[in-house]
Amino acid sequence: MKLSTNWLKEYIDLPVNNLEDGNKLAEQIGLTSSEVEEVSTVVPLSTNLVVAQVESVSAVPESDHLKLTSVTDGVQSYQVVTGAPNVQAGQVVVFAKPGATLFDGKEIKTATLAGIESNGMIVSLQEIGFTDSIAPKKHEDGIYVFPADADVVLGQDAMVALGANDIIVETSLTANRADMLSYLGNAYEFGAMLDLPTKKPAIDINESETMTDSLISVDIDGSIAPNYNLRIIQNVTVKESPLWLQRRLWSSGIRPINNIVDVTNYAMLLFGQPLHAFDYDTLTAKKIRVALSKNETLITLDDQERQLKEDENIVVYDDQKPLMLAGVMGGKDSEVTTNTTNIVLESAVFDSVLVRKAAQRFNLHSEASQRFERGINYDDIISALNFGAELIAELGDGQITKGIISQSVKTENNHEVEVTLGQINQYLGTDLSLEIVESVFKRLQFGFSLNDSTFLVDVPARTWDITLPVDLIEEVIRIYGYDKIKATLPQQIDAQAGLNKKQKLMRQVNAILRGTGLSQAITYSLKAKDNAQYFVPTPKATIELDYPMSEDRSVLRQSVLTSLYEAIKYNSARGQKDVRLFEIGDVFAYEDQKVEETTHLAGIVLPGESLNWKTHKNTFDFYDAKGIVENLFTQLAMPVEFAPAEINQMHPGRTAEISINDQVIGFVGQIHPSVTKADKINTAFAFELNLDAIIDLYENTVDYKPITKFPEMTRDLSLTVPKEVTQSQIQEAIDSLELEALQSMELFDIYNDEAYTYRLTFSDNVNALISENVDTLVDVIKNILIKKLGVEIR
């Protein structure tokens, strides 16, 4: 926010008289309150510019736009040729005397124009550094003319007369500092910071005998407008604002428009409370209604037609006719113009979330919307309304009708917060006394009571973000001074450093999968509602965001695989093949009245085509995907079992659930062809594992075993296996023999889905193996397979 230090001095004796003082203040603000973007004058200063009066105006021969004028600074008259279209005799203007230097370095010299000597230049505000965004609208196409009642004298330094030498401090505020979006809020803040008293403007309302409620009525939806108030000012004259008001607005970055609009902006800057003025005579029903929008259109003050949607925006209506996009921008139909004579003045609080959404949707981030979004000081809603009405009546020669029409469900925002001296010192690592903390609360103008060492603080409505003891502790140290905290060494904690079990296992899993050829991905935890439960064996209640950024990111996922599938869809659509990804991430579900958050591991493979000239076929299949999982658990020394399973969005005949000690911890398989076909993907394989469950089951009990110095011996075993017998059953039967010499059993050939060939590897760490002994062990294996599983030896 741009702050005029001259204006602030009305409410606090601010020690700022030049840029050096301004920079000192900015340094204190940066240490206490917020960042400071810049300290400067209103515009870069020009020299030798004075207040002057146009004595006469005549046409320049043979020119259709130049005029010959005589200008006086009260001491001397100057002949000036100007092209200003709005120049007239009697006007008080800004005059650059010969020898003047403008803000951009341009020097004004005596020149000859159209054969006539011109001594100096009558200037517009833009020519001396004012931007179009702050230069008064009335003079946007010509020279600036001082208002008739301006407190200036001829010959006066024009930079001073315009207030251009005012020291401006521009702050950059965080979202919680809504109190610093007003001059009074900054006065309170700087008063506490500098230990200076502050004062508020006097408000004296003079009302006519006409009752406000006889002229207009209101019907307000309190859920979207918890506080709504109106006043009416009659018989006003809309005209240019006085110079003092213009100076304050352009010093604060606001463009002067007319006395009515300028007062609403002035009150908003002063109190932080946006006001809006309607032309009363444009209201046909004379019934103000605040409700959610319908499917309708509204032309706003910027002449843009806005398409409103059902129940999305807050709209102020004249019964059924939309008047304004509440909290954001007024409507064209009820705009205050030079023909306006009766004013309806509104001071309200609108739902901050809906205001923010409207501002974002229509790209209308106004000064008003910024304040509604961040929060309103309930203590100043009526004060701002009365102040604005009084000033409009004064500057517009109008009369304020009797009474305020108010319909509010919430009229205050004060609350109490308790904090102890012990809490303050414990959090800050300080040894502050009760007297120091008391002085801080007094400087902040917080009411409080003290019982022993416990403060019960009455937090004013202007600092609505203070709700917890830690918020009060922050206020104490801000005002006391961060720089006063003594530097101390951190306490030594007697705890073993290093990674915990989960971190170690996650790093190990990461390394194993990258070694298998998969790349790690990081995806969004938020999904669209229609696919948040994809690839979930047992879906649970979803967790939806109240205010999502978009419908595609509205629900917390219950499967990491659904996010990885979106990633391969994106890659496949852009011609990428052979994409292999994995991710370790969290999934979320709502069960038993609480949110469950679990860490999962998922992987997905979008196979590329083989370059084999004979087949050109995809060589990656279910067993390759299963092999990735088997390799992972082999390196973790965790025996797993696979069994057929049916999982949502997975191929029912090519999917297996994975279990450890009869506890299901995930699945692996092919994504259902109907899913991949719909996304124009040939085929994809995937797995998902409950990593938290794996961590609970994981025991790092792998001991070192010396490599045998004796040669290994292998035997191939070919079996015809009944269809109902699974690989895991064969493995269990052989493991039950507890043969120490059997090091591994590898399936390396399948014929016609019933004939399987295994390679058995034997070794002994103590003695060299004898062929006859190995044959005996193979016979033992054959016998148990025949007996338990009914296999046939081929």
Side-chain angles (χ1 to χ4, degrees):
M1 180 177 178
K2 290 186 176 182
L3 295 168
S4 160
T5 55
N6 284 346
W7 187 0
L8 270 172
K9 288 177 183 178
E10 286 201 7
Y11 314 112
I12 178 175
D13 188 14
L14 208 59
V16 177
N17 298 301
N18 50 49
L19 284 173
E20 183 179 355
D21 293 340
N23 284 314
K24 289 180 181 178
L25 175 65
E27 185 176 350
Q28 291 176 289
I29 295 171
L31 290 172
T32 307
S33 309
S34 69
E35 293 184 15
V36 175
E37 293 283 346
E38 185 181 20
V39 177
S40 65
T41 51
V42 176
V43 294
L45 299 182
S46 304
T47 63
N48 213 12
L49 266 64
V50 298
V51 177
Q53 186 173 33
V54 180
E55 295 177 301
S56 64
V57 179
S58 59
V60 173
E62 299 181 1
S63 175
D64 60 353
H65 69 283
L66 294 179
K67 298 174 183 177
L68 178 62
T69 66
S70 175
V71 178
T72 180
D73 62 1
V75 176
Q76 179 181 349
S77 295
Y78 299 83
Q79 177 177 279
V80 179
V81 177
T82 179
N86 62 327
V87 65
Q88 294 179 15
Q91 291 174 334
V92 179
V93 296
V94 180
F95 177 56
K97 297 168 69 173
T101 301
L102 303 187
F103 77 100
D104 56 1
K106 178 181 178 181
E107 184 178 350
I108 304 301
K109 301 177 181 179
T110 297
T112 301
L113 299 175
I116 302 174
E117 184 179 276
S118 180
N119 300 292
M121 178 180 176
I122 305 173
V123 297
S124 67
L125 292 184
Q126 289 87 340
E127 288 172 318
I128 59 174
F130 284 69
T131 63
D132 289 336
S133 62
I134 63 172
K137 186 175 182 180
K138 179 179 179 180
H139 307 296
E140 60 186 348
D141 295 324
I143 59 172
Y144 178 72
V145 180
F146 286 98
D149 57 352
D151 54 343
V152 296
V153 296
L154 298 184
Q156 179 183 1
D157 185 337
M159 291 285 97
V160 175
L162 293 169
N165 63 334
D166 188 0
I167 306 302
I168 306 301
V169 178
E170 184 175 0
T171 55
S172 177
L173 303 177
T174 53
N176 66 315
R177 294 312 305 264
D179 59 308
M180 292 182 69
L181 283 172
S182 70
Y183 273 83
L184 290 177
N186 280 282
Y188 282 118
E189 180 68 17
F190 297 165
M193 181 178 73
L194 302 173
D195 197 10
L196 294 172
T198 59
K199 56 183 178 180
K200 296 188 70 171
I203 302 173
D204 184 19
I205 288 288
N206 294 309
E207 298 177 320
S208 69
E209 294 303 316
T210 304
M211 300 300 296
T212 307
D213 57 11
S214 68
L215 301 173
I216 200 166
S217 63
V218 298
D219 179 14
I220 311 300
D221 181 347
S223 65
I224 56 177
N227 195 298
Y228 195 87
N229 310 275
L230 293 179
R231 270 196 178 277
I232 292 179
I233 306 97
Q234 295 180 313
N235 305 316
V236 299
T237 301
V238 179
K239 55 187 177 181
E240 184 180 17
S241 294
L243 180 60
W244 69 264
L245 179 52
Q246 293 187 39
R247 280 196 298 246
R248 292 191 173 179
L249 291 181
W250 65 47
S251 295
S252 304
I254 302 291
R255 184 185 200 186
I257 305 295
N258 58 52
N259 57 343
I260 308 302
V261 176
D262 292 351
V263 167
T264 63
N265 285 327
Y266 181 69
M268 176 188 68
L269 292 171
L270 180 58
F271 293 95
Q273 171 64 52
L275 302 180
H276 186 75
F278 302 96
D279 185 334
Y280 173 82
D281 296 311
T282 64
L283 309 181
T284 55
K286 304 297 190 285
K287 178 181 180 180
I288 295 295
R289 191 169 61 86
V290 179
L292 288 175
S293 57
K294 298 174 286 187
N295 288 318
E296 56 195 346
T297 59
L298 170 67
I299 299 176
T300 47
L301 289 172
D302 56 0
D303 294 316
Q304 299 296 311
E305 184 175 273
R306 310 291 178 179
Q307 181 61 52
L308 308 182
K309 294 184 178 180
E310 187 82 21
D311 295 338
E312 282 199 1
N313 308 114
I314 307 174
V315 176
V316 177
Y317 293 91
D318 176 23
D319 195 12
Q320 299 300 318
K321 176 185 175 183
L323 294 179
M324 70 174 290
L325 193 57
V328 180
M329 185 174 282
K332 193 71 175 176
D333 287 348
S334 57
E335 179 184 15
V336 173
T337 68
T338 53
N339 297 319
T340 299
T341 57
N342 298 301
I343 299 292
V344 178
L345 190 63
E346 169 198 87
S347 181
V349 176
F350 299 111
D351 182 87
S352 60
V353 174
L354 290 175
V355 170
R356 178 177 60 83
K357 284 187 173 182
Q360 288 179 333
R361 181 187 171 205
F362 296 111
N363 195 25
L364 285 175
H365 298 280
S366 62
E367 292 283 345
S369 69
Q370 183 185 31
R371 287 163 173 80
F372 282 122
E373 289 173 30
R374 298 190 180 194
I376 296 297
N377 178 3
Y378 275 74
D379 286 349
D380 282 339
I381 298 172
I382 299 299
S383 297
L385 178 63
N386 288 335
F387 179 87
E390 177 192 5
L391 195 54
I392 287 174
E394 177 185 338
L395 301 183
D397 304 317
Q399 299 86 43
I400 305 170
T401 59
K402 192 168 187 177
I404 297 174
I405 295 184
S406 180
Q407 188 169 322
S408 306
V409 297
K410 183 177 180 181
T411 57
E412 60 181 26
N413 200 27
N414 296 57
H415 52 278
E416 293 181 332
V417 180
E418 187 176 271
V419 66
T420 67
L421 181 65
Q423 286 176 308
I424 294 171
N425 285 321
Q426 181 182 3
Y427 268 85
L428 300 177
T430 55
D431 190 23
L432 302 182
S433 65
L434 284 172
E435 290 74 20
I436 290 175
V437 177
E438 282 186 84
S439 70
V440 168
F441 289 147
K442 288 177 181 178
R443 288 165 64 176
L444 287 166
Q445 299 190 39
F446 288 1
F448 66 90
S449 61
L450 180 61
N451 183 11
D452 291 332
S453 62
T454 300
F455 292 90
L456 182 61
V457 180
D458 183 15
V459 181
R462 69 175 184 273
T463 51
W464 55 265
D465 62 305
I466 297 176
T467 58
L468 300 170
V470 290
D471 297 326
L472 287 175
I473 294 170
E474 181 187 5
E475 295 300 294
V476 169
I477 193 57
R478 280 197 319 106
I479 303 305
Y480 176 71
Y482 292 105
D483 55 325
K484 294 181 182 178
I485 299 179
K486 295 180 180 179
T488 56
L489 294 173
Q491 293 182 344
Q492 183 176 359
I493 300 174
D494 186 16
Q496 184 178 0
L499 303 176
N500 58 33
K501 179 181 177 181
K502 182 174 183 177
Q503 292 169 330
K504 288 179 180 178
L505 189 63
M506 287 173 63
R507 289 195 178 190
Q508 190 175 355
V509 167
N510 192 309
I512 293 169
L513 291 177
R514 284 189 286 111
T516 312
L518 277 67
S519 299
Q520 186 175 15
I522 299 175
T523 61
Y524 288 110
S525 297
L526 293 169
K527 301 297 298 175
K529 187 174 182 179
D530 58 355
N531 62 17
Q533 295 179 314
Y534 273 21
F535 309 110
V536 179
T538 308
K540 298 177 182 179
T542 56
I543 302 169
E544 299 183 30
L545 300 187
D546 287 336
Y547 305 105
M549 294 184 293
S550 70
E551 290 302 316
D552 290 339
R553 299 279 182 263
S554 61
V555 178
L556 286 167
R557 67 187 177 189
Q558 294 191 11
S559 164
V560 176
L561 184 53
T562 183
S563 299
L564 288 182
Y565 183 70
E566 291 294 324
I568 69 159
K569 275 174 56 180
Y570 182 90
N571 280 273
S572 177
R574 286 153 181 79
Q576 298 299 313
K577 305 299 180 185
D578 199 17
V579 181
R580 304 178 182 221
L581 304 173
F582 78 93
E583 179 180 5
I584 298 173
D586 290 341
V587 299
F588 308 83
Y590 189 76
E591 190 173 33
D592 297 331
Q593 302 298 312
K594 63 180 181 180
V595 176
E596 292 183 352
E597 181 176 355
T598 312
T599 302
H600 277 206
L601 163 67
I604 194 165
V605 175
L606 174 65
E609 291 186 356
S610 170
L611 297 179
N612 188 309
W613 64 272
K614 292 182 179 180
T615 61
H616 286 284
K617 291 182 179 179
N618 194 324
T619 58
F620 194 98
D621 59 15
F622 166 80
Y623 295 103
D624 293 294
K626 178 171 172 282
I628 293 173
V629 176
E630 285 180 321
N631 176 66
L632 171 65
F633 285 104
T634 297
Q635 296 201 46
L636 294 177
M638 299 179 74
V640 293
E641 298 177 356
F642 298 86
E646 292 188 7
I647 308 292
N648 294 332
Q649 287 78 43
M650 299 297 291
H651 193 303
R654 297 178 185 174
T655 300
E657 66 179 18
I658 307 166
S659 58
I660 301 175
N661 299 334
D662 296 326
Q663 179 179 339
V664 177
I665 50 93
F667 64 88
V668 61
Q670 179 183 341
I671 296 177
H672 201 289
S674 64
V675 176
T676 53
K677 185 177 180 181
D679 295 315
K680 298 180 181 179
I681 297 173
N682 290 333
T683 185
F685 297 88
F687 64 87
E688 179 149 359
L689 306 169
N690 184 332
L691 195 57
D692 282 343
I694 295 171
I695 291 168
D696 291 340
L697 296 168
Y698 178 71
E699 295 181 5
N700 191 13
T701 58
V702 179
D703 296 325
Y704 165 74
K705 292 183 180 180
I707 300 174
T708 180
K709 59 184 177 181
F710 301 108
E712 295 177 340
M713 297 187 69
T714 61
R715 294 288 188 274
D716 290 343
L717 179 62
S718 295
L719 309 172
T720 300
V721 182
K723 289 187 177 181
E724 65 273 11
V725 175
T726 64
Q727 164 70 16
S728 59
Q729 289 175 306
I730 295 174
Q731 185 71 53
E732 288 174 5
I734 296 175
D735 288 345
S736 68
L737 296 172
E738 298 183 354
L739 303 176
E740 292 185 7
L742 179 61
Q743 301 300 311
S744 66
M745 181 183 77
E746 179 183 359
L747 175 66
F748 71 89
D749 188 37
I750 302 174
Y751 177 73
N752 205 25
D753 282 341
E754 61 178 14
Y756 297 82
T757 302
Y758 296 88
R759 175 152 295 164
L760 308 177
T761 302
F762 299 87
S763 68
D764 194 319
N765 291 332
V766 180
N767 301 303
L769 290 173
I770 300 173
S771 181
E772 289 78 6
N773 292 344
V774 172
D775 292 339
T776 300
L777 293 175
V778 173
D779 289 338
V780 171
I781 293 171
K782 291 178 180 178
N783 290 335
I784 196 168
L785 293 177
I786 293 170
K787 182 178 179 180
K788 280 192 172 184
L789 304 177
V791 304
E792 295 180 6
I793 308 301
R794 298 177 65 239

